[in-house]
Amino acid sequence: MAFLGLVKLGIAQDDFRQAYVITNAGDTTFGFVAYSEGRQIHRACRFKSAEDEKIVIHAPDQIRAFGFANNTFFESKVVKMENQDDQSVFVQAKVRGFVSLFRFDYEYYVEKDNGGLQLLSNE
């Protein structure tokens, strides 16, 4: 069974998709971003400017946002974590407007007038 796990690890490849990165200065750089599901995509943006270029890893405090060609968009935001310090992470923008809706991991947040994220809860 362990042998199959090693084989799977050995042949796994990154799924880089056409995308762009927005710097903190507001400049946009087009290229490819590694797509992943789950928590990994919220923690770091793995970017390369061309398919054969070296991967550059951006932390949420290093860039403003990144997005994919299919309109999936992630913004750097500070999230208040229960029983932890606040963290800068990439949240997926679901709806942008007067009140914006974001997703981080399996939770949803709203933000009004760039006033910070507020966790949506069903209490």
Short mmCIF file of all heavy atoms in Angstrom, two decimals, residues 41-97:
data_model
loop_
_atom_site.label_atom_id
_atom_site.label_comp_id
_atom_site.label_asym_id
_atom_site.label_seq_id
_atom_site.Cartn_x
_atom_site.Cartn_y
_atom_site.Cartn_z
N ILE A 41 -4.56 27.00 -1.44
CA ILE A 41 -4.71 28.18 -2.29
C ILE A 41 -4.96 29.45 -1.48
O ILE A 41 -4.71 30.55 -1.94
CB ILE A 41 -5.80 27.97 -3.36
CG1 ILE A 41 -5.58 28.93 -4.52
CG2 ILE A 41 -7.19 28.09 -2.76
CD1 ILE A 41 -6.26 28.53 -5.79
N HIS A 42 -5.41 29.32 -0.25
CA HIS A 42 -5.66 30.47 0.61
C HIS A 42 -4.40 30.97 1.31
O HIS A 42 -4.39 32.06 1.87
CB HIS A 42 -6.71 30.13 1.68
CG HIS A 42 -8.04 29.81 1.10
ND1 HIS A 42 -8.89 30.78 0.57
CD2 HIS A 42 -8.70 28.63 0.97
CE1 HIS A 42 -9.99 30.20 0.15
NE2 HIS A 42 -9.91 28.90 0.38
N ARG A 43 -3.34 30.19 1.29
CA ARG A 43 -2.13 30.51 2.04
C ARG A 43 -1.01 31.10 1.19
O ARG A 43 -0.19 31.86 1.68
CB ARG A 43 -1.59 29.26 2.74
CG ARG A 43 -2.61 28.50 3.54
CD ARG A 43 -2.95 29.19 4.82
NE ARG A 43 -3.87 28.33 5.58
CZ ARG A 43 -4.84 28.77 6.32
NH1 ARG A 43 -5.06 30.04 6.43
NH2 ARG A 43 -5.62 27.96 6.97
N ALA A 44 -0.95 30.72 -0.09
CA ALA A 44 0.14 31.19 -0.94
C ALA A 44 -0.29 31.16 -2.41
O ALA A 44 -1.09 30.32 -2.81
CB ALA A 44 1.38 30.32 -0.76
N CYS A 45 0.28 32.07 -3.18
CA CYS A 45 0.05 32.12 -4.62
C CYS A 45 1.34 31.68 -5.30
O CYS A 45 2.37 32.35 -5.19
CB CYS A 45 -0.32 33.55 -5.04
SG CYS A 45 -0.35 33.78 -6.84
N ARG A 46 1.29 30.55 -5.99
CA ARG A 46 2.46 30.02 -6.70
C ARG A 46 2.35 30.46 -8.15
O ARG A 46 1.52 29.96 -8.88
CB ARG A 46 2.51 28.51 -6.54
CG ARG A 46 2.66 28.13 -5.07
CD ARG A 46 2.63 26.64 -4.80
NE ARG A 46 3.73 26.01 -5.46
CZ ARG A 46 3.63 24.88 -6.18
NH1 ARG A 46 2.47 24.26 -6.29
NH2 ARG A 46 4.68 24.36 -6.77
N PHE A 47 3.20 31.41 -8.55
CA PHE A 47 3.09 32.11 -9.83
C PHE A 47 4.34 31.90 -10.67
O PHE A 47 5.45 31.82 -10.15
CB PHE A 47 2.90 33.61 -9.57
CG PHE A 47 2.87 34.45 -10.81
CD1 PHE A 47 1.72 34.54 -11.57
CD2 PHE A 47 4.00 35.16 -11.22
CE1 PHE A 47 1.69 35.33 -12.72
CE2 PHE A 47 3.98 35.93 -12.36
CZ PHE A 47 2.82 36.02 -13.12
N LYS A 48 4.13 31.83 -11.98
CA LYS A 48 5.26 31.89 -12.92
C LYS A 48 4.80 32.66 -14.15
O LYS A 48 3.65 32.55 -14.58
CB LYS A 48 5.82 30.52 -13.25
CG LYS A 48 4.85 29.49 -13.76
CD LYS A 48 5.57 28.15 -13.90
CE LYS A 48 4.64 27.07 -14.39
NZ LYS A 48 5.35 25.81 -14.61
N SER A 49 5.70 33.47 -14.70
CA SER A 49 5.33 34.37 -15.79
C SER A 49 5.20 33.64 -17.13
O SER A 49 4.53 34.13 -18.03
CB SER A 49 6.33 35.51 -15.91
OG SER A 49 7.64 35.00 -16.06
N ALA A 50 5.82 32.49 -17.26
CA ALA A 50 5.69 31.66 -18.46
C ALA A 50 5.76 30.20 -18.02
O ALA A 50 6.26 29.89 -16.93
CB ALA A 50 6.80 31.97 -19.46
N GLU A 51 5.28 29.31 -18.86
CA GLU A 51 5.21 27.90 -18.48
C GLU A 51 6.57 27.31 -18.13
O GLU A 51 6.67 26.44 -17.28
CB GLU A 51 4.54 27.09 -19.59
CG GLU A 51 3.06 27.36 -19.68
CD GLU A 51 2.35 26.44 -20.65
OE1 GLU A 51 2.86 25.33 -20.91
OE2 GLU A 51 1.30 26.83 -21.15
N ASP A 52 7.64 27.79 -18.76
CA ASP A 52 8.97 27.25 -18.51
C ASP A 52 9.79 28.08 -17.53
O ASP A 52 10.98 27.87 -17.36
CB ASP A 52 9.73 27.09 -19.82
CG ASP A 52 9.86 28.39 -20.59
OD1 ASP A 52 9.19 29.37 -20.23
OD2 ASP A 52 10.66 28.43 -21.54
N GLU A 53 9.16 29.03 -16.85
CA GLU A 53 9.85 29.90 -15.89
C GLU A 53 9.84 29.29 -14.49
O GLU A 53 9.06 28.39 -14.19
CB GLU A 53 9.19 31.28 -15.84
CG GLU A 53 9.37 32.08 -17.09
CD GLU A 53 10.80 32.55 -17.30
OE1 GLU A 53 11.47 32.90 -16.31
OE2 GLU A 53 11.24 32.56 -18.46
N LYS A 54 10.68 29.84 -13.62
CA LYS A 54 10.77 29.43 -12.24
C LYS A 54 9.54 29.90 -11.46
O LYS A 54 9.00 30.97 -11.71
CB LYS A 54 12.03 30.03 -11.62
CG LYS A 54 12.28 29.64 -10.20
CD LYS A 54 13.56 30.28 -9.68
CE LYS A 54 13.72 29.98 -8.21
NZ LYS A 54 14.87 30.67 -7.64
N ILE A 55 9.10 29.10 -10.50
CA ILE A 55 7.93 29.43 -9.67
C ILE A 55 8.33 30.45 -8.62
O ILE A 55 9.34 30.30 -7.94
CB ILE A 55 7.37 28.16 -8.99
CG1 ILE A 55 6.91 27.15 -10.02
CG2 ILE A 55 6.24 28.52 -8.03
CD1 ILE A 55 6.58 25.79 -9.46
N VAL A 56 7.51 31.49 -8.48
CA VAL A 56 7.67 32.50 -7.42
C VAL A 56 6.48 32.34 -6.49
O VAL A 56 5.33 32.33 -6.93
CB VAL A 56 7.70 33.92 -8.02
CG1 VAL A 56 7.80 34.96 -6.91
CG2 VAL A 56 8.84 34.07 -9.01
N ILE A 57 6.75 32.22 -5.20
CA ILE A 57 5.68 32.04 -4.22
C ILE A 57 5.43 33.38 -3.54
O ILE A 57 6.33 33.98 -2.96
CB ILE A 57 6.05 30.96 -3.19
CG1 ILE A 57 6.26 29.62 -3.90
CG2 ILE A 57 4.96 30.85 -2.12
CD1 ILE A 57 6.77 28.52 -3.02
N HIS A 58 4.17 33.84 -3.64
CA HIS A 58 3.75 35.10 -3.01
C HIS A 58 2.88 34.80 -1.79
O HIS A 58 1.88 34.08 -1.89
CB HIS A 58 2.92 35.94 -3.98
CG HIS A 58 3.67 36.39 -5.19
ND1 HIS A 58 4.66 37.33 -5.15
CD2 HIS A 58 3.56 36.01 -6.49
CE1 HIS A 58 5.13 37.54 -6.38
NE2 HIS A 58 4.48 36.74 -7.21
N ALA A 59 3.24 35.39 -0.67
CA ALA A 59 2.42 35.31 0.54
C ALA A 59 1.33 36.38 0.44
O ALA A 59 1.46 37.33 -0.33
CB ALA A 59 3.28 35.55 1.77
N PRO A 60 0.25 36.24 1.20
CA PRO A 60 -0.85 37.21 1.12
C PRO A 60 -0.44 38.66 1.41
O PRO A 60 -1.07 39.58 0.90
CB PRO A 60 -1.85 36.71 2.15
CG PRO A 60 -1.58 35.25 2.24
CD PRO A 60 -0.10 35.11 2.06
N ASP A 61 0.59 38.87 2.19
CA ASP A 61 1.01 40.24 2.47
C ASP A 61 1.96 40.80 1.42
O ASP A 61 2.34 41.96 1.48
CB ASP A 61 1.63 40.35 3.87
CG ASP A 61 2.84 39.45 4.05
OD1 ASP A 61 3.10 38.59 3.20
OD2 ASP A 61 3.53 39.62 5.08
N GLN A 62 2.31 40.00 0.41
CA GLN A 62 3.24 40.43 -0.63
C GLN A 62 2.55 40.93 -1.90
O GLN A 62 3.17 41.63 -2.69
CB GLN A 62 4.20 39.29 -0.99
CG GLN A 62 5.12 38.92 0.14
CD GLN A 62 5.97 37.72 -0.20
OE1 GLN A 62 5.49 36.75 -0.79
NE2 GLN A 62 7.24 37.79 0.17
N ILE A 63 1.30 40.53 -2.11
CA ILE A 63 0.54 40.97 -3.29
C ILE A 63 -0.88 41.33 -2.86
O ILE A 63 -1.35 40.90 -1.80
CB ILE A 63 0.50 39.91 -4.42
CG1 ILE A 63 -0.16 38.62 -3.96
CG2 ILE A 63 1.90 39.67 -4.97
CD1 ILE A 63 -0.36 37.59 -5.06
N ARG A 64 -1.55 42.11 -3.68
CA ARG A 64 -2.92 42.53 -3.38
C ARG A 64 -3.93 41.44 -3.72
O ARG A 64 -4.89 41.22 -3.00
CB ARG A 64 -3.25 43.79 -4.18
CG ARG A 64 -4.60 44.38 -3.85
CD ARG A 64 -4.89 45.62 -4.66
NE ARG A 64 -3.93 46.67 -4.32
CZ ARG A 64 -3.83 47.81 -4.97
NH1 ARG A 64 -4.63 48.08 -5.98
NH2 ARG A 64 -2.94 48.70 -4.60
N ALA A 65 -3.71 40.75 -4.87
CA ALA A 65 -4.70 39.77 -5.33
C ALA A 65 -4.12 38.94 -6.46
O ALA A 65 -3.07 39.26 -7.02
CB ALA A 65 -5.96 40.49 -5.80
N PHE A 66 -4.84 37.88 -6.80
CA PHE A 66 -4.56 37.12 -8.02
C PHE A 66 -5.87 36.54 -8.53
O PHE A 66 -6.84 36.40 -7.78
CB PHE A 66 -3.50 36.02 -7.80
CG PHE A 66 -3.93 34.88 -6.92
CD1 PHE A 66 -4.48 33.73 -7.47
CD2 PHE A 66 -3.75 34.94 -5.55
CE1 PHE A 66 -4.85 32.67 -6.67
CE2 PHE A 66 -4.12 33.88 -4.73
CZ PHE A 66 -4.67 32.74 -5.29
N GLY A 67 -5.89 36.25 -9.82
CA GLY A 67 -7.10 35.72 -10.41
C GLY A 67 -6.80 34.79 -11.57
O GLY A 67 -5.72 34.86 -12.16
N PHE A 68 -7.75 33.94 -11.87
CA PHE A 68 -7.63 33.00 -12.98
C PHE A 68 -8.45 33.49 -14.17
O PHE A 68 -9.39 34.29 -14.00
CB PHE A 68 -8.12 31.61 -12.54
CG PHE A 68 -7.24 30.97 -11.51
CD1 PHE A 68 -7.54 31.08 -10.16
CD2 PHE A 68 -6.10 30.28 -11.89
CE1 PHE A 68 -6.73 30.49 -9.20
CE2 PHE A 68 -5.28 29.69 -10.95
CZ PHE A 68 -5.59 29.80 -9.59
N ALA A 69 -8.14 32.99 -15.35
CA ALA A 69 -8.83 33.39 -16.57
C ALA A 69 -10.32 33.09 -16.52
O ALA A 69 -11.10 33.72 -17.21
CB ALA A 69 -8.18 32.72 -17.79
N ASN A 70 -10.76 32.14 -15.69
CA ASN A 70 -12.18 31.79 -15.60
C ASN A 70 -12.94 32.67 -14.61
O ASN A 70 -14.03 32.33 -14.19
CB ASN A 70 -12.33 30.32 -15.20
CG ASN A 70 -11.90 30.07 -13.77
OD1 ASN A 70 -11.37 30.94 -13.07
ND2 ASN A 70 -12.09 28.85 -13.31
N ASN A 71 -12.35 33.80 -14.22
CA ASN A 71 -12.95 34.78 -13.32
C ASN A 71 -12.93 34.39 -11.85
O ASN A 71 -13.58 35.04 -11.04
CB ASN A 71 -14.38 35.14 -13.74
CG ASN A 71 -14.40 35.86 -15.07
OD1 ASN A 71 -13.48 36.62 -15.38
ND2 ASN A 71 -15.43 35.65 -15.86
N THR A 72 -12.22 33.35 -11.45
CA THR A 72 -12.04 33.05 -10.04
C THR A 72 -10.99 34.02 -9.52
O THR A 72 -9.90 34.11 -10.08
CB THR A 72 -11.58 31.60 -9.84
OG1 THR A 72 -12.55 30.73 -10.42
CG2 THR A 72 -11.44 31.26 -8.38
N PHE A 73 -11.32 34.75 -8.46
CA PHE A 73 -10.49 35.85 -8.00
C PHE A 73 -10.24 35.75 -6.50
O PHE A 73 -11.17 35.49 -5.74
CB PHE A 73 -11.19 37.18 -8.33
CG PHE A 73 -10.40 38.41 -8.02
CD1 PHE A 73 -9.31 38.77 -8.79
CD2 PHE A 73 -10.77 39.22 -6.96
CE1 PHE A 73 -8.58 39.91 -8.50
CE2 PHE A 73 -10.05 40.36 -6.66
CZ PHE A 73 -8.95 40.71 -7.44
N PHE A 74 -9.01 35.95 -6.07
CA PHE A 74 -8.62 35.88 -4.68
C PHE A 74 -7.98 37.20 -4.26
O PHE A 74 -7.13 37.73 -4.97
CB PHE A 74 -7.62 34.75 -4.44
CG PHE A 74 -8.21 33.38 -4.61
CD1 PHE A 74 -8.32 32.81 -5.87
CD2 PHE A 74 -8.66 32.65 -3.53
CE1 PHE A 74 -8.87 31.55 -6.05
CE2 PHE A 74 -9.20 31.39 -3.69
CZ PHE A 74 -9.31 30.84 -4.96
N GLU A 75 -8.39 37.71 -3.10
CA GLU A 75 -7.84 38.96 -2.57
C GLU A 75 -7.14 38.68 -1.25
O GLU A 75 -7.54 37.80 -0.49
CB GLU A 75 -8.96 39.97 -2.29
CG GLU A 75 -9.56 40.58 -3.51
CD GLU A 75 -10.57 41.66 -3.16
OE1 GLU A 75 -10.27 42.52 -2.31
OE2 GLU A 75 -11.66 41.62 -3.74
N SER A 76 -6.12 39.46 -0.98
CA SER A 76 -5.43 39.38 0.30
C SER A 76 -6.24 40.14 1.34
O SER A 76 -6.54 41.32 1.16
CB SER A 76 -4.03 39.97 0.17
OG SER A 76 -3.40 39.96 1.42
N LYS A 77 -6.62 39.46 2.41
CA LYS A 77 -7.41 40.07 3.48
C LYS A 77 -6.92 39.53 4.82
O LYS A 77 -6.32 38.47 4.89
CB LYS A 77 -8.91 39.72 3.34
CG LYS A 77 -9.57 40.24 2.09
CD LYS A 77 -9.86 41.70 2.21
CE LYS A 77 -10.67 42.18 1.00
NZ LYS A 77 -10.92 43.61 1.05
N VAL A 78 -7.23 40.26 5.86
CA VAL A 78 -6.93 39.80 7.22
C VAL A 78 -8.18 39.13 7.77
O VAL A 78 -9.27 39.69 7.74
CB VAL A 78 -6.51 40.98 8.12
CG1 VAL A 78 -6.35 40.52 9.57
CG2 VAL A 78 -5.23 41.61 7.61
N VAL A 79 -8.01 37.91 8.26
CA VAL A 79 -9.11 37.12 8.81
C VAL A 79 -8.85 36.92 10.29
O VAL A 79 -7.74 36.56 10.69
CB VAL A 79 -9.22 35.75 8.09
CG1 VAL A 79 -10.24 34.86 8.78
CG2 VAL A 79 -9.57 35.94 6.63
N LYS A 80 -9.87 37.17 11.09
CA LYS A 80 -9.79 36.93 12.53
C LYS A 80 -10.05 35.45 12.77
O LYS A 80 -11.12 34.95 12.47
CB LYS A 80 -10.80 37.78 13.28
CG LYS A 80 -10.55 39.26 13.16
CD LYS A 80 -11.62 40.05 13.88
CE LYS A 80 -11.62 41.46 13.52
NZ LYS A 80 -10.81 42.42 13.94
N MET A 81 -9.04 34.77 13.28
CA MET A 81 -9.14 33.33 13.52
C MET A 81 -9.52 33.09 14.98
O MET A 81 -8.99 33.73 15.87
CB MET A 81 -7.80 32.65 13.23
CG MET A 81 -7.25 32.98 11.85
SD MET A 81 -8.26 32.34 10.57
CE MET A 81 -7.36 30.87 10.21
N GLU A 82 -10.43 32.16 15.19
CA GLU A 82 -10.86 31.83 16.55
C GLU A 82 -9.68 31.24 17.32
O GLU A 82 -9.00 30.32 16.83
CB GLU A 82 -12.01 30.83 16.50
CG GLU A 82 -12.69 30.63 17.82
CD GLU A 82 -13.92 29.77 17.70
OE1 GLU A 82 -14.73 30.01 16.79
OE2 GLU A 82 -14.05 28.85 18.52
N ASN A 83 -9.43 31.77 18.50
CA ASN A 83 -8.34 31.32 19.39
C ASN A 83 -6.95 31.46 18.77
O ASN A 83 -6.04 30.75 19.13
CB ASN A 83 -8.57 29.86 19.83
CG ASN A 83 -9.86 29.69 20.58
OD1 ASN A 83 -10.30 30.58 21.30
ND2 ASN A 83 -10.51 28.55 20.38
N GLN A 84 -6.79 32.36 17.79
CA GLN A 84 -5.49 32.59 17.15
C GLN A 84 -5.37 34.07 16.83
O GLN A 84 -6.34 34.83 16.89
CB GLN A 84 -5.38 31.80 15.84
CG GLN A 84 -5.41 30.31 16.00
CD GLN A 84 -5.29 29.62 14.65
OE1 GLN A 84 -4.81 30.19 13.69
NE2 GLN A 84 -5.73 28.39 14.58
N ASP A 85 -4.16 34.48 16.47
CA ASP A 85 -3.93 35.84 16.02
C ASP A 85 -4.56 36.02 14.64
O ASP A 85 -4.77 35.05 13.91
CB ASP A 85 -2.44 36.14 15.93
CG ASP A 85 -1.77 36.17 17.30
OD1 ASP A 85 -2.47 36.42 18.29
OD2 ASP A 85 -0.55 35.94 17.36
N ASP A 86 -4.83 37.28 14.27
CA ASP A 86 -5.33 37.58 12.93
C ASP A 86 -4.29 37.14 11.91
O ASP A 86 -3.08 37.21 12.17
CB ASP A 86 -5.58 39.08 12.78
CG ASP A 86 -6.69 39.58 13.70
OD1 ASP A 86 -7.35 38.74 14.34
OD2 ASP A 86 -6.87 40.79 13.76
N GLN A 87 -4.75 36.69 10.74
CA GLN A 87 -3.85 36.20 9.70
C GLN A 87 -4.18 36.85 8.37
O GLN A 87 -5.35 37.04 8.04
CB GLN A 87 -3.97 34.69 9.53
CG GLN A 87 -3.44 33.87 10.65
CD GLN A 87 -3.52 32.38 10.32
OE1 GLN A 87 -3.95 31.97 9.25
NE2 GLN A 87 -3.11 31.56 11.26
N SER A 88 -3.13 37.16 7.60
CA SER A 88 -3.34 37.57 6.21
C SER A 88 -3.45 36.30 5.38
O SER A 88 -2.59 35.43 5.45
CB SER A 88 -2.16 38.40 5.72
OG SER A 88 -2.14 39.65 6.35
N VAL A 89 -4.52 36.21 4.60
CA VAL A 89 -4.78 35.05 3.76
C VAL A 89 -5.38 35.53 2.45
O VAL A 89 -5.76 36.68 2.31
CB VAL A 89 -5.74 34.03 4.44
CG1 VAL A 89 -5.12 33.44 5.69
CG2 VAL A 89 -7.07 34.67 4.74
N PHE A 90 -5.47 34.63 1.48
CA PHE A 90 -6.19 34.92 0.25
C PHE A 90 -7.60 34.39 0.40
O PHE A 90 -7.81 33.22 0.67
CB PHE A 90 -5.51 34.26 -0.96
CG PHE A 90 -4.18 34.85 -1.30
CD1 PHE A 90 -3.02 34.11 -1.15
CD2 PHE A 90 -4.08 36.15 -1.77
CE1 PHE A 90 -1.80 34.65 -1.47
CE2 PHE A 90 -2.86 36.70 -2.09
CZ PHE A 90 -1.71 35.95 -1.94
N VAL A 91 -8.58 35.28 0.24
CA VAL A 91 -9.99 34.88 0.30
C VAL A 91 -10.56 34.94 -1.11
O VAL A 91 -10.20 35.82 -1.90
CB VAL A 91 -10.81 35.75 1.27
CG1 VAL A 91 -10.36 35.53 2.70
CG2 VAL A 91 -10.72 37.22 0.91
N GLN A 92 -11.42 34.00 -1.44
CA GLN A 92 -12.03 33.98 -2.76
C GLN A 92 -13.20 34.94 -2.80
O GLN A 92 -14.11 34.86 -1.97
CB GLN A 92 -12.51 32.57 -3.11
CG GLN A 92 -13.07 32.48 -4.51
CD GLN A 92 -13.53 31.08 -4.86
OE1 GLN A 92 -13.53 30.19 -4.04
NE2 GLN A 92 -13.94 30.92 -6.10
N ALA A 93 -13.16 35.88 -3.74
CA ALA A 93 -14.25 36.84 -3.90
C ALA A 93 -15.39 36.14 -4.64
O ALA A 93 -15.23 35.69 -5.76
CB ALA A 93 -13.77 38.06 -4.67
N LYS A 94 -16.54 36.06 -3.99
CA LYS A 94 -17.71 35.43 -4.61
C LYS A 94 -18.62 36.48 -5.23
O LYS A 94 -19.16 36.27 -6.31
CB LYS A 94 -18.49 34.63 -3.56
CG LYS A 94 -17.75 33.43 -3.02
CD LYS A 94 -17.42 32.47 -4.13
CE LYS A 94 -17.57 31.05 -3.74
NZ LYS A 94 -17.39 30.15 -4.87
N VAL A 95 -18.82 37.60 -4.52
CA VAL A 95 -19.64 38.72 -5.01
C VAL A 95 -18.94 40.00 -4.60
O VAL A 95 -18.57 40.16 -3.43
CB VAL A 95 -21.06 38.69 -4.40
CG1 VAL A 95 -21.87 39.89 -4.85
CG2 VAL A 95 -21.77 37.39 -4.72
N ARG A 96 -18.75 40.92 -5.54
CA ARG A 96 -18.13 42.22 -5.24
C ARG A 96 -19.17 43.31 -5.44
O ARG A 96 -19.88 43.31 -6.44
CB ARG A 96 -16.94 42.48 -6.17
CG ARG A 96 -15.82 41.48 -6.07
CD ARG A 96 -14.91 41.66 -4.90
NE ARG A 96 -14.31 42.97 -4.93
CZ ARG A 96 -14.04 43.68 -3.84
NH1 ARG A 96 -14.29 43.21 -2.66
NH2 ARG A 96 -13.50 44.87 -3.93
N GLY A 97 -19.27 44.21 -4.48
CA GLY A 97 -20.23 45.29 -4.59
C GLY A 97 -20.25 46.12 -3.33
O GLY A 97 -19.27 46.17 -2.58
#
